[in-house]
């Protein structure tokens, strides 16, 4: 057989420079959004490690600002904020309080770092005494329509505080439309909505429950988050949210749902985000700490896979680490 009789793909893999020249997918600082957990506490320097998520912390306002500042010096451009209020109640009043923990965190970050893009998670589960993402009926069922007003009030309060993007994660039907109407009617028609359009009832959220102190007091969230077995349903949810005014869509979790992410990329032109969630983070951390994998290589392979599948944006707890990887 002559050399020209078969494909020699290795020619383009022979050296590091050639591999770099022909690389199809590259993760950059512009792709990354770093989540942070901010705590309502009198101790602004508060910093508590999250046991299930090594390297992640619950942060007071000063600690949050300092940590974000260090990350921005390395190239971070966007954050996603979750709030832990000092008190919870059945109506999640802390979620939409003018001086709530996220509202104060947004104002602080926009004051300290005007060029930072601040995205806020819009949900009620961290603020309800029962841990569910909406209002409850006397029998304990999560009520869809009465919850929409509270979600809209929450998103509006974030916009008033200075948020650049609001991101509803509750999975209530119609919440994008309710939020869009509230923003538009109050002078915030310029604020984009990043919808958690395709959010599965996943087993990979476990460490987040510790980080955000948001575990349900009873039952689970399968009646409003999506069945992991369903793919076509994801297309319907995405189409509905776009129809209600969503500007960006999200798939959550990321790696177990790359097929969904890719299918969405083929079917719509809206910017897509993928959330590399707490369980995905903690599994890689645990394996690396046991010496079973090379953390840097595994993280970058995972991020590349997410971007290759179609994500424009990647929300990941590894964002700060990736900034170091890219700079190295």
């Amino acid at each position: 057989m002559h050399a020209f009789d078969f494909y020699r793909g290795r020619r383009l893999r022979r050296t590091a420079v050639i591999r770099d020249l022909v690389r199809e997918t590259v993760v950059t600082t512009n792709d990354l959004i770093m989540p942070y957990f901010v705590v309502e506490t009198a101790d602004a320097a508060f910093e508590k490690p999250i046991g299930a998520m090594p390297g992640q912390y619950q942060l007071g306002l000063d600690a949050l600002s300092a940590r974000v500042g260090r990350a921005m010096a390395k190239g971070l451009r966007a954050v996603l904020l979750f709030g832990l209020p000092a008190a919870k109640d059945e109506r999640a009043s802390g979620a939409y309080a003018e001086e709530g923990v996220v509202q104060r965190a947004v104002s602080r970050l926009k004051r300290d770092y005007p060029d930072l893009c601040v995205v806020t998670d819009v949900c009620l589960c961290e603020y309800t005494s029962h841990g569910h993402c909406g209002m409850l009926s006397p029998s304990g069922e999560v009520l869809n329509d009465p919850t929409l007003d509270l979600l809209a009030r929450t998103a509006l309060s974030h916009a008033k505080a200075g948020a650049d993007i609001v991101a509803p994660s509750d999975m209530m039907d119609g919440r994008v439309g309710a939020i869009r109407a509230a923003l538009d009617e109050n002078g915030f028609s310029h604020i984009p909505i990043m919808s958690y359009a395709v959010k599965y009832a996943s087993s990979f959220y476990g460490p987040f429950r510790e980080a955000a102190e948001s575990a349900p007091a009873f039952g689970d969230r399968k009646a409003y988050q999506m069945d992991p077995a369903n793919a076509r349903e994801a297309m319907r949810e995405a189409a509905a949210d776009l129809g209600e005014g969503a500007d960006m869509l999200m798939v959550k979790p990321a790696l177990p749902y790359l097929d969904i992410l890719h299918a969405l990329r083929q079917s719509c032109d809206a910017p897509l985000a993928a959330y590399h969630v707490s369980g995905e983070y903690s599994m890689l951390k645990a394996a690396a700490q046991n010496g079973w994998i090379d953390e840097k290589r595994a993280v970058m392979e995972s991020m590349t896979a997410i971007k290759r599948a179609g994500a424009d944006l990647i929300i990941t707890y590894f964002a700060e680490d990736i900034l170091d990887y890219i700079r190295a």
Side-chain angles (χ1 to χ4, degrees), residues 26-308:
V26 179
V27 177
T28 75
T29 56
N30 291 333
D31 303 325
L32 304 174
I33 300 176
M34 177 70 194
Y36 291 101
F37 300 96
V38 58
V39 181
E40 187 173 16
T41 172
D43 179 9
F46 179 85
E47 190 168 284
K48 178 184 177 182
I50 299 167
M53 299 177 67
Q56 302 304 309
Y57 299 85
Q58 295 176 342
L59 302 165
L61 286 179
D62 287 351
L64 171 69
S65 182
R67 193 172 182 97
V68 169
R70 292 192 295 270
M72 287 188 69
K74 296 187 292 185
L76 184 69
R77 306 190 69 186
V79 301
L80 174 63
L81 297 182
F82 295 92
L84 283 73
K88 305 184 181 190
D89 58 41
E90 290 188 358
R91 292 189 58 83
S93 57
Y96 42 88
E98 184 176 342
E99 292 296 317
V101 59
V102 166
Q103 290 80 354
R104 293 175 61 202
V106 171
S107 297
R108 173 65 180 272
L109 290 180
K110 293 303 292 185
R111 184 196 75 188
D112 293 351
Y113 313 108
D115 294 331
L116 178 69
C117 180
V118 177
V119 187
T120 57
D121 180 80
V122 177
C123 196
L124 307 181
C125 61
E126 297 108 304
Y127 303 90
T128 54
S129 52
H130 46 74
H132 279 285
C133 301
M135 298 289 294
L136 296 183
S137 71
S139 63
E141 179 184 359
V142 176
L143 298 171
N144 192 94
D145 294 8
T147 299
L148 299 183
D149 178 60
L150 301 186
L151 293 168
R153 291 173 64 184
T154 300
L156 180 59
S157 71
H158 292 177
K160 288 179 176 178
D164 297 289
I165 300 171
V166 294
S169 64
D170 54 284
M171 289 300 286
M172 297 296 114
D173 297 334
R175 90 272 204 215
V176 171
I179 290 170
R180 185 73 272 160
L183 293 174
D184 292 355
E185 291 167 6
N186 288 275
F188 293 97
S189 59
H190 59 288
I191 297 296
I193 297 174
M194 176 192 291
S195 171
Y196 287 64
V198 182
K199 181 179 180 180
Y200 285 92
S202 173
S203 59
F204 290 97
Y205 301 150
F208 179 91
R209 307 279 165 78
E210 176 187 336
E213 299 179 6
S214 62
F218 62 90
D220 54 40
R221 295 177 175 139
K222 293 180 181 179
Y224 43 101
Q225 295 177 1
M226 286 179 52
D227 184 342
N230 292 357
R232 295 190 302 272
E233 182 185 4
M235 304 302 111
R236 299 197 298 271
E237 289 285 351
D241 284 5
L242 287 173
E244 291 177 24
D247 301 281
M248 296 175 272
L249 303 178
M250 186 193 302
V251 175
K252 180 183 180 183
L255 291 173
Y257 299 94
L258 292 184
D259 60 324
I260 306 300
L261 181 61
H262 183 67
L264 271 178
R265 178 72 294 155
Q266 301 305 306
S267 67
C268 79
D269 294 326
L272 296 182
Y275 199 144
H276 187 247
V277 300
S278 59
E280 298 175 87
Y281 171 89
S282 296
M283 287 193 302
L284 288 175
K285 278 290 186 182
Q289 288 177 350
N290 277 284
W292 298 335
I293 61 172
D294 179 299
E295 182 173 319
K296 176 181 177 179
R297 290 183 62 190
V299 168
M300 291 310 295
E301 185 174 342
S302 299
M303 298 302 117
T304 300
I306 294 167
K307 188 170 181 182
R308 189 183 66 239

